[in-house]
Amino acid sequence: MLLCASISSLAASSLTMVKSPNCEKKCGDVEVPYPFGIDDENCAISKDIDQYFLLKCNTSTASPKLTFGINLEVSSIDVKNATMSVKNFYSYSCYHKDGSVISRLRNSITLSKSFTLSYSENKLFAFGCDTQAFMYASKNNFGSGCISICYENVKMSAQTSCSGFGCCQTSVPKHIKYLSVTTSSFNNHTNVSSFNPCGYAFLADQNSFDISKMRLDFKPEQVKNSIVLLDWVVGNQTCEEAQSNSSSYVCGENSNCYYSENGGGYQCRCKQGYEGNPYLKQGCQDIDECSNLNITQHCKGCKNIPGSYKCKCPLGMHGDGKDGNCKGFRFNTFATAIAASLLLMVIVLLIFYDYKRRKREKIFKQNGGLLLKNQRVRIFTKAELVKATNNYNQSNFIGQGGFASVYKGVVILNETNSITNTSTQLIAVKKPKLEKDDQNKSIQINHQQFHEEIAIVSQVNHKNVVKLLGLCLETKIPLLVYELVPNGTLSQHIHAKGSSSSSAMLRPWKTRLRIATETALSIDYLHSLAQPPIIHRDIKSTNILLDENYTAKVSDFGASVLIPPGQTGIATTVQGTIGYLDPEYLTTSTLTSKSDVYSFGVVLVELITGEKPISNGVRRSGAKSNIIQYFVSTVRENKGKKYVGKIVDPNVVYDKNHEIEIETVAELAMKCLEGFGERRPTMKEVAEELVWLNKGINKGSSRYYNNAQQNNEETNQLLIVDHGDQSSFCVMSNIDIKNKDQIVEYTTFDVSGYDGESSISLH
């Protein structure tokens, strides 16, 4: 009897254990191994997998018969190959001499979900003269057959092949669980009835079918049932699916899972070096190869190990003793080979390291490293930035522009022996993008942009501009390292959905006015105090960042240009962002400081209305219109009237005293949005008026004239660069970078396109 622990059928261990201590192992001469059981469902695998693993033993006859399903007699079960042999009925048609039918029987076989006809071993056989055999499976849309013809009595022998003369055969396809077999005749055996009154058709295992035991004159009662081979599986899943659920996986220890293409499920087999029943928890037992005389004759000093064995070579020999492959032991040759291999490995590693070092040095020099390393700017190594950004992990991705992506990270500012004295800095790394299709062109463009940006950031130092912390010169395109501004872009806060913390920060009108003032002061600094003057060329809300105190910081100098001394503008490629782009610049390709004024005017409209300038949607008025057109027309049509409620963002909190300020800013935006640059104010004029408004002084009030001079001085003070504790540096070039005898420093990183805006560059 097979004795196993009785535990819950849903536990993983129980699925490979018989749950009854009194399970029958045989029915007559047929062995019944687990997962099959006889009569008692506790002796078979769970019926949730398939109830037909439970077989019946009919002991009412002299010789007990083991039955599967309704009436199929089981002749054998093979656990190792997951097959079962059953005796199947045959189909036949018998005829009188005149061709009338004496009797006819059609046979079919139907299997459950875990059992399938073996396509590799079973075949359809037809036996008889003037006989057609046909099989079909309606669920599989399959049908096939063969024809057997003869005109005289044929004596069958073991050497007779079923090739159509008295007997024919054809293959069975995969995945067949239902099959019907029929016979028919062309002439109803009228020409052969004297020696072959009946035609037969049946499925049979080609390895067990013996044609020599068949005769053409056999009556149906003389024909024995054929043996059919069934494949079975213990679950209709792949091995990966089955193993992922340990509570239903039935393979025991030291076994492997195999997927059956024919059965559409998995089977279990003992690992190599083990034998037994793989469906029992400990059914696969180690084979003691050392007890096999055929092995020990060739294996000296045989030692059995789990799943295999070891053999020792005779003294003074080496090699694989298990395969009889022992060879003479030559220690000197072996040691020499090892030493030579190690030496070669060391040489290769040294050459590779030297190649990488030389390559880094070459790129470092190409990027101006010999000059920049003597300046007071930190030069980061490639490894430092990889570590700081966790190898540029996507979780550290901030945004991207046309030629670069930006990642946040953390670097150590000062390295000392004391861990407690080490400080860190949040950074943003600007990493150039290279197009795989045209890397050489991308490298050339990025090199040009890098040097242009360095030339600009080397003279920018303002409290409302993001600062450059250092460079990495070990990559083909240098990496720029900036301070990280933690609170995102102005655009994110203006256009935040619902009542999030971001949108709540911009609800007070005074906060929006302050941010507008700080932005105007930084742009005025670029136009008025930088030498030569700098035109930003891409002023927009996504390039205005907010620090931990929600102070505005202008960013992205990738599109900026330096205006040569004595000139007010420069002819250049049209570049910028749709919605913020100066129409005059777009049509003339002449860039002036008034182009930045126009873009700032769009930002003012964005701050007032809370609308994106490039989105065409239904405005609060109900009309579908561009927001700039709507804003301009609303202010013009309501001149002298109260129109604040028609243009201001409904999320903005303000009182009646602020309405005049909002109208004043709206009118200032109108001036900035003039079509002709000459009619627009300068950024200094814009900044001064916003400073006055920020202090609660309107240009039309009497206090304006009493405080104009004082405010002008305060504005200039706000524009003065703030060196703070940062170390300044300069880049040697043919550009004058002096600003009132001060060497200026630092700039911002590029988050262009972070909110999906479209940037353009026209040639």
Side-chain angles (χ1 to χ4, degrees), residues 76 357 380 492 585 684:
S76 67
R357 180 185 60 81
F380 291 91
Q492 290 172 326
Y585 168 44
K684 179 176 288 293

Side-chain angles (χ1 to χ4, degrees), residues 77-84 229-232 260 267-269 278-279:
I77 299 174
D78 185 349
V79 171
K80 181 178 179 180
N81 297 310
T83 60
M84 181 169 66
L229 198 66
L230 307 181
D231 293 334
W232 49 268
S260 169
Q267 303 166 339
C268 308
R269 297 178 194 171
Y279 300 95

Side-chain angles (χ1 to χ4, degrees), residues 60 108 248 416 516 539 556 577 730:
S60 60
S108 64
S248 61
T416 65
I539 297 294
D556 187 2
T577 301
C730 64

Side-chain angles (χ1 to χ4, degrees), residues 125-194:
F125 290 91
F127 184 77
C129 300
D130 191 17
T131 301
Q132 302 174 69
F134 182 73
M135 61 179 172
Y136 68 90
S138 58
K139 294 181 180 179
N140 298 76
N141 295 320
F142 161 78
S144 182
C146 67
I147 299 174
S148 174
I149 298 175
C150 54
Y151 301 101
E152 60 184 13
N153 195 3
V154 179
K155 185 177 181 180
M156 300 297 172
S157 66
Q159 288 74 37
T160 303
S161 63
C162 285
S163 57
F165 191 66
C167 176
C168 69
Q169 63 181 352
T170 188
S171 299
V172 177
K174 293 181 180 180
H175 314 306
I176 299 298
K177 296 180 180 295
Y178 167 81
L179 197 66
S180 178
V181 178
T182 61
T183 61
S184 62
S185 175
F186 290 106
N187 299 307
N188 291 358
H189 286 238
T190 54
N191 298 326
V192 295
S193 62
S194 60

Side-chain angles (χ1 to χ4, degrees), residues 448-466:
Q448 180 182 352
Q449 283 203 336
F450 165 75
H451 290 296
E452 289 176 354
E453 191 164 347
I454 286 295
I456 291 172
V457 302
S458 65
Q459 55 179 315
V460 174
N461 180 36
H462 190 271
K463 65 181 181 180
N464 295 118
V465 175
V466 180

Side-chain angles (χ1 to χ4, degrees), residues 631-693:
F631 178 85
V632 171
S633 62
T634 301
V635 174
R636 284 178 178 172
E637 292 171 3
N638 292 274
K639 196 72 173 178
K641 304 177 185 178
K642 291 186 176 181
Y643 58 83
V644 170
K646 296 181 180 181
I647 61 171
V648 76
D649 185 350
N651 292 319
V652 173
V653 177
Y654 64 95
D655 54 34
K656 289 187 177 181
N657 295 331
H658 294 148
E659 290 187 2
I660 296 177
E661 289 182 357
I662 298 174
E663 289 178 357
T664 303
V665 176
E667 292 170 3
L668 182 61
M670 291 283 288
K671 294 176 184 178
C672 295
L673 295 173
E674 282 285 352
F676 296 99
E678 293 180 354
R679 298 178 184 175
R680 301 170 195 157
T682 65
M683 279 310 302
K684 179 176 288 293
E685 293 170 336
V686 174
E688 287 177 351
E689 184 156 357
L690 288 174
V691 168
W692 292 326
L693 285 174

Side-chain angles (χ1 to χ4, degrees), residues 380-672:
F380 291 91
T381 66
K382 182 180 178 181
E384 281 181 304
L385 297 186
V386 168
K387 180 180 178 181
T389 59
N390 192 18
N391 198 21
Y392 301 99
N393 191 282
Q394 192 64 25
S395 62
N396 290 326
F397 178 76
I398 297 176
Q400 64 182 355
F403 295 99
S405 300
V406 183
Y407 297 83
K408 66 181 178 180
V410 181
V411 294
I412 298 175
L413 289 181
N414 57 302
E415 298 183 5
T416 65
N417 293 330
S418 174
I419 298 176
T420 58
N421 293 330
T422 300
S423 61
T424 58
Q425 168 79 51
L426 291 174
I427 62 169
V429 182
K430 185 176 182 179
K431 185 174 183 287
K433 297 185 293 185
L434 293 179
E435 296 294 336
K436 292 184 179 179
D437 296 337
D438 197 2
Q439 286 200 2
N440 291 332
K441 182 177 179 181
S442 297
I443 291 173
Q444 183 178 0
I445 293 173
N446 276 279
H447 260 299
Q448 180 182 352
Q449 283 203 336
F450 165 75
H451 290 296
E452 289 176 354
E453 191 164 347
I454 286 295
I456 291 172
V457 302
S458 65
Q459 55 179 315
V460 174
N461 180 36
H462 190 271
K463 65 181 181 180
N464 295 118
V465 175
V466 180
K467 294 179 180 178
L468 178 70
L469 299 179
L471 310 167
C472 174
L473 304 174
E474 294 182 359
T475 55
K476 289 184 178 180
I477 307 299
L479 308 181
L480 304 180
V481 182
Y482 298 91
E483 66 170 328
L484 181 67
V485 182
N487 280 325
T489 68
L490 176 61
S491 176
Q492 290 172 326
H493 288 274
I494 293 176
H495 307 298
K497 301 296 183 182
S499 58
S500 67
S501 59
S502 297
S503 60
M505 187 281 300
L506 280 186
R507 294 197 58 164
W509 162 250
K510 280 296 185 179
T511 301
R512 299 197 181 201
L513 180 59
R514 174 181 58 78
I515 291 173
T517 304
E518 292 169 346
T519 304
L521 288 170
S522 64
I523 302 172
D524 182 24
Y525 163 80
L526 299 176
H527 291 182
S528 304
L529 296 183
Q531 292 298 328
I534 299 169
I535 299 178
H536 189 281
R537 197 160 54 158
D538 200 14
I539 297 294
K540 56 184 178 180
S541 58
T542 53
N543 284 340
I544 300 170
L545 309 181
L546 302 175
D547 68 7
E548 62 275 4
N549 298 318
Y550 293 98
T551 299
K553 288 181 179 285
V554 174
S555 68
D556 187 2
F557 286 82
S560 300
V561 295
L562 299 170
I563 301 300
Q567 296 186 23
T568 58
I570 184 172
T572 182
T573 300
V574 175
Q575 187 173 341
T577 301
I578 298 173
Y580 298 87
L581 198 60
D582 175 12
E584 187 176 56
Y585 168 44
L586 182 62
T587 55
T588 65
S589 297
T590 299
L591 181 69
T592 68
S593 60
K594 296 298 182 73
S595 299
D596 280 352
V597 174
Y598 181 89
S599 300
F600 180 73
V602 177
V603 174
L604 287 179
V605 173
E606 202 170 350
L607 280 165
I608 294 170
T609 64
E611 299 278 0
K612 290 185 178 182
I614 60 173
S615 64
N616 290 319
V618 178
R619 309 269 80 87
R620 290 186 299 276
S621 62
K624 189 173 184 180
S625 169
N626 180 279
I627 185 59
I628 301 299
Q629 295 174 346
Y630 172 81
F631 178 85
V632 171
S633 62
T634 301
V635 174
R636 284 178 178 172
E637 292 171 3
N638 292 274
K639 196 72 173 178
K641 304 177 185 178
K642 291 186 176 181
Y643 58 83
V644 170
K646 296 181 180 181
I647 61 171
V648 76
D649 185 350
N651 292 319
V652 173
V653 177
Y654 64 95
D655 54 34
K656 289 187 177 181
N657 295 331
H658 294 148
E659 290 187 2
I660 296 177
E661 289 182 357
I662 298 174
E663 289 178 357
T664 303
V665 176
E667 292 170 3
L668 182 61
M670 291 283 288
K671 294 176 184 178
C672 295

